Amino acid sequence: MKVSLFSLVMALGVGTDAAAVYAEQENQKPPELVDNNVQRNNEQTNLYWGDTHLHTSYSFDAFMSGNETIDPDAAYRWAKGLPIVHPYNRSRVQIGAPLDFLVVADHAELMGVIRAVNNDTAELADVSWWDGVKRWFAIRTLKSKIADGTAGEVFRSLLPVSAANPDGDPVADPNNKLPGGAFGDTTKIETTAWGDIVEAAERHNSPGEFTAMIGWEWSSIPTGANLHRVVITPTDASTAKQFLPYGSDNSQYPQDLWNWLQSTSEASGAEFLAIPHNSNISKGYMYPSVTLKGEKIDRAYAETRQRWEPVSEITQIKGDSETHPVLSPNDEFADFETYGFYIQQEPETEPYSPKEGDYIRSGLKRGLEIEADIGVNPYKFGVVGSTDAHGGLSAVEEDNFLGKFARDSIPENKASFGIGRTVNGWDMAAQGLAAVWAPENTREAIFSAFKRREVYGTTGPRMRVRFFAGWGFDELNEDQSNLAEVGYRQGVPMGGDLFGNGNGQAPEFLIHAVRDPATVNLERVQVVKGWLDKDGKPQEKVFNVAWSGDRQITGDGDLPTLQHTVDLETGKTANTIGEPEFILKWRDPEFNPTERAFYYVRVFEIPSARHSLLDAIALQADAYDGRPSVQQERAYTSSIWYTPQVNTTDTPGSDKAE
């Protein structure tokens, strides 16, 4: 397919700032009052790369898995491009390309406690004589296992067990028992640790150059159902010290987290948002059709969730959460880095079973259904990638991947990652990254981009992607280098809403994708559409809209795959196929103006070597346990939602609806 190309050295990423245009979600105008062709302001937006999900030695599981030395300060120095001594193998390591921003997101639960106990710096609260004896034995055992490298056994013993009632509320399940507090009241330790974390962020935050965003992880995992959220705030250290991070030891219900964010925001003036992650192993509970307690989702729930969770994590080390072959059987790219391992003690008793509530695409479709019923979409979220690395080093390059934990950073240790569980380091993926379109590299600008969902995620490569929708883009110049300017002025960017204009015509989409100059060329661009049909049933379809070479679309809409150019003996990719860039306008040939829909873009690189192949070559061994040697890295944009022109008196949930 022939596409329009222009030089990679063109000024890319220049447009107008949409931040001021989009109202806060809870104050959004009704559809019939929104004009998507209004004049935007003239502030430029630029692309910034970062990781919103990194753990350091202040996380209990990170410390017990070999990371005793990479604290927040070292994590920021790595992200800025400085050489660091690895916490496990003690080699000098360095990121290939520095990040623009980083969120150190250590677990709120036992924040800094294991580190302090092991280092004899713990401020332990007074306890009774007998509790003191038990605490002494617990500390002695823990320090011994940390010293001999077997502390992972302790970590496994803290993991949950399967639910007694698999279809019920996992928090209320009789098998859901939180681990006992062997160390007693750890508030003093956690307060000290939180102070260290926010002060490190303050030291490394340099507006306009590098953003150190303050955050933490709320790690609810009742009976192995992963409900984790990363909480981030653009506030400064002095404000952040007014509160202590809310953890799942406070409550395992997301609604209680949102309530805490609301009350804490009112009390401190801090802004917050929460980013769900690893929905792929949530046992269907991340994007459910009812609340965790089994109650119908109402407008209050939907509006609250939409406010606090405008973004979800679509890809990371523990697998890809876009979709699954069971849920998207007609999508040839659905089975990518599928991670089928629950975080629990006895995984063999509950084989992995993908559910609609586990994946981003089915969650987006479910959101359309709920919106059609109650008038609000609780799952109108953008997407990012991030690492969830626990070695303190945000490493996503395939040839520079340092594993999930510190200990599995070397190939010989990958097989022992699971600590008695079936998963191991070969099942992990070197991904992902968060991409943000913002006017400047500051806490406030990046946070605002997250709130308006003008963000996207990749599995590691830094592909530059723009995505706009509108009712006609008629001011593009000959080489289309003004795409961003026109896209903002005449349409809405990724993360935005497009409302029916009443004339029945299909919207037009502008798509611009540029390869990462440090990796390989691009293979294709796809648009993924989800919609509600005339019967209100969710549907999906993947459109190939641009591709490299002389391939032709088949009668059933498929595009022949490219033969990879990876040398399996050396791991090198011959970058002789693919394109450096795609730029195009596209209309949905099956558009129905009466149907709610969302659209997002997937951009694929040509196949390249996976870290498993590179390690196998280094070890002079065959590929491990059937893990792939070659993969196709990709980018996922946030969606653009289309809403038909409606009469508010007929909108479900409206005060005027009959």
Side-chain angles (χ1 to χ4, degrees):
M1 177 181 180
K2 183 175 179 60
V3 296
S4 174
L5 301 173
F6 63 91
S7 172
L8 290 175
V9 299
M10 278 281 193
L12 300 174
V14 176
T16 55
D17 176 24
V21 177
Y22 301 110
E24 289 294 330
Q25 195 65 53
E26 60 269 29
N27 296 324
Q28 187 177 359
K29 296 178 182 179
E32 73 277 6
L33 298 182
V34 175
D35 178 5
N36 290 289
N37 295 315
V38 297
Q39 179 70 36
R40 312 301 184 190
N41 66 41
N42 294 319
E43 198 167 15
Q44 295 180 349
T45 56
N46 306 291
L47 182 58
Y48 300 108
W49 292 97
D51 186 351
T52 64
H53 190 180
L54 183 72
H55 295 269
T56 75
S57 59
Y58 283 71
S59 285
F60 69 93
D61 51 351
F63 195 95
M64 290 193 293
S65 300
N67 178 14
E68 300 178 28
T69 59
I70 301 298
D71 58 11
D73 181 77
Y76 287 123
R77 287 189 285 118
W78 160 277
K80 289 179 172 182
L82 298 175
I84 298 294
V85 175
H86 192 274
Y88 181 81
N89 61 50
R90 307 309 296 166
S91 64
R92 173 175 51 80
V93 291
Q94 192 168 8
I95 195 171
L99 299 178
D100 298 307
F101 65 92
L102 176 67
V103 180
V104 169
D106 283 311
H107 296 286
E109 303 81 10
L110 294 177
M111 180 176 281
V113 171
I114 302 301
R115 178 179 182 273
V117 166
N118 185 75
N119 296 343
D120 296 321
T121 61
E123 301 175 79
L124 296 171
D126 293 334
V127 293
S128 67
W129 176 85
W130 180 238
D131 286 339
V133 171
K134 291 190 292 183
R135 184 166 69 186
W136 182 84
F137 274 106
I139 292 173
R140 182 180 179 184
T141 300
L142 176 64
K143 294 180 69 173
S144 173
K145 287 187 173 295
I146 290 174
D148 65 19
T150 61
E153 297 173 1
V154 178
F155 170 61
R156 186 186 179 206
S157 70
L158 300 175
L159 295 178
V161 299
S162 297
N165 304 313
D167 297 325
D169 179 349
V171 177
D173 192 272
N175 283 356
N176 183 40
K177 297 180 175 62
L178 291 174
F183 308 119
D185 184 358
T186 57
T187 302
K188 287 184 178 181
I189 307 174
E190 293 174 31
T191 301
T192 298
W194 178 238
D196 294 344
I197 291 168
V198 299
E199 286 170 5
E202 204 72 1
R203 286 195 305 273
H204 286 277
N205 189 56
S206 180
E209 297 179 1
F210 180 84
T211 293
M213 193 87 76
I214 294 171
W216 71 91
E217 181 177 318
W218 175 80
S219 309
S220 176
I221 189 167
T223 65
N226 187 89
L227 301 175
H228 296 190
R229 270 84 165 168
V230 168
V231 179
I232 66 175
T233 173
T235 195
D236 58 16
S238 61
T239 303
K241 288 182 180 180
Q242 295 180 30
F243 53 82
L244 190 63
Y246 191 85
S248 63
D249 47 357
N250 297 112
S251 173
Q252 293 181 287
Y253 287 109
Q255 294 98 316
D256 291 335
L257 170 64
W258 304 333
N259 290 338
W260 183 91
L261 295 176
Q262 175 70 42
S263 60
T264 306
S265 179
E266 292 172 352
S268 67
E271 295 182 85
F272 299 100
L273 62 81
I275 305 175
H277 67 266
N278 273 134
S279 61
N280 55 331
I281 50 175
S282 71
K283 300 187 179 182
Y285 290 106
M286 192 66 86
Y287 310 116
S289 57
V290 296
T291 71
L292 212 59
K293 297 179 180 180
E295 301 164 345
K296 176 182 170 62
I297 291 177
D298 57 17
R299 289 180 65 91
Y301 176 98
E303 289 169 350
T304 301
R305 178 156 184 162
Q306 194 180 91
R307 176 185 181 186
W308 295 114
E309 299 187 358
V311 173
S312 283
E313 187 180 278
I314 196 170
T315 191
Q316 65 136 277
I317 287 174
K318 294 201 303 299
D320 206 71
S321 293
E322 185 214 3
T323 192
H324 188 281
V326 170
L327 304 173
S328 300
N330 297 322
D331 183 353
E332 64 178 307
F333 294 101
D335 192 12
F336 177 72
E337 296 295 349
T338 300
Y339 184 86
F341 308 95
Y342 297 126
I343 306 175
Q344 56 192 57
Q345 291 185 31
E346 70 310 346
E348 292 80 5
T349 64
E350 187 177 359
Y352 182 74
S353 176
K355 299 177 175 60
E356 289 184 353
D358 289 333
Y359 284 88
I360 296 290
R361 189 186 302 175
S362 50
L364 291 170
K365 291 193 296 182
R366 180 166 279 172
L368 296 180
E369 291 184 281
I370 295 173
E371 182 182 24
D373 179 32
I374 67 172
V376 181
N377 183 348
Y379 306 135
K380 183 176 282 189
F381 51 77
V383 297
V384 294
S386 283
T387 64
D388 196 9
H390 280 57
L393 308 176
S394 180
V396 299
E397 299 134 338
E398 290 296 327
D399 60 357
N400 195 26
F401 182 46
L402 299 174
K404 164 73 171 178
F405 290 106
R407 192 173 185 278
D408 60 301
S409 61
I410 59 176
E412 288 95 337
N413 285 353
K414 285 186 177 179
S416 62
F417 167 87
I419 320 164
R421 298 159 61 221
T422 53
V423 62
N424 66 44
W426 303 109
D427 297 304
M428 303 293 166
Q431 52 196 57
L433 283 178
V436 173
W437 288 107
E440 59 184 3
N441 188 4
T442 63
R443 287 172 172 170
E444 294 75 16
I446 289 175
F447 187 84
S448 178
F450 272 81
K451 291 284 285 184
R452 68 177 186 271
R453 305 181 295 254
E454 198 175 352
V455 296
Y456 66 97
T458 83
T459 57
R462 303 186 184 194
M463 294 166 271
R464 300 172 65 90
V465 185
R466 289 281 201 186
F467 181 42
F468 297 94
W471 298 110
F473 299 102
D474 55 7
E475 296 183 18
L476 291 175
N477 58 27
E478 185 175 354
D479 64 6
Q480 300 182 342
S481 59
N482 65 337
L483 178 143
E485 177 186 352
V486 171
Y488 281 119
R489 187 170 62 248
Q490 296 185 324
V492 297
M494 64 180 77
D497 288 287
L498 190 69
F499 299 102
N501 61 3
N503 64 12
Q505 72 182 48
E508 194 168 47
F509 296 92
L510 290 180
I511 303 169
H512 187 194
V514 184
R515 61 160 286 192
D516 179 347
T519 58
V520 295
N521 284 332
L522 305 180
E523 188 262 337
R524 73 175 74 191
V525 176
Q526 294 181 328
V527 173
V528 179
K529 177 187 179 183
W531 74 97
L532 298 185
D533 64 20
K534 61 182 178 62
D535 298 319
K537 302 298 183 183
Q539 307 293 338
E540 66 176 65
K541 186 168 183 177
V542 179
F543 297 89
N544 290 296
V545 300
W547 56 90
S548 63
D550 297 325
R551 295 170 291 167
Q552 300 294 320
I553 294 286
T554 63
D556 56 4
D558 291 335
L559 180 67
T561 58
L562 285 177
Q563 181 66 37
H564 76 74
T565 59
V566 179
D567 186 331
L568 299 181
E569 300 297 321
T570 66
K572 300 293 185 182
T573 302
N575 199 29
T576 55
I577 57 176
E579 297 283 357
E581 179 181 45
F582 292 111
I583 184 168
L584 66 145
K585 291 195 293 185
W586 179 78
R587 288 186 188 272
D588 176 4
E590 301 175 8
F591 178 72
N592 184 327
T594 67
E595 295 173 343
R596 299 174 188 268
F598 62 82
Y599 299 84
Y600 65 88
V601 169
R602 292 194 302 195
V603 179
F604 294 83
E605 287 188 340
I606 65 171
S608 57
R610 190 178 187 265
H611 70 90
S612 48
L613 172 63
L614 302 177
D615 284 346
I617 293 171
L619 292 170
Q620 301 182 64
D622 293 332
Y624 284 85
D625 299 328
R627 272 62 170 191
S629 297
V630 175
Q631 65 177 7
Q632 254 185 296
E633 304 267 24
R634 57 202 65 190
Y636 306 105
T637 73
S638 292
S639 295
I640 294 174
W641 286 264
Y642 167 77
T643 302
Q645 196 171 46
V646 296
N647 184 338
T648 56
T649 60
D650 298 327
T651 302
S654 168
D655 293 337
K656 299 179 181 179
E658 295 181 359

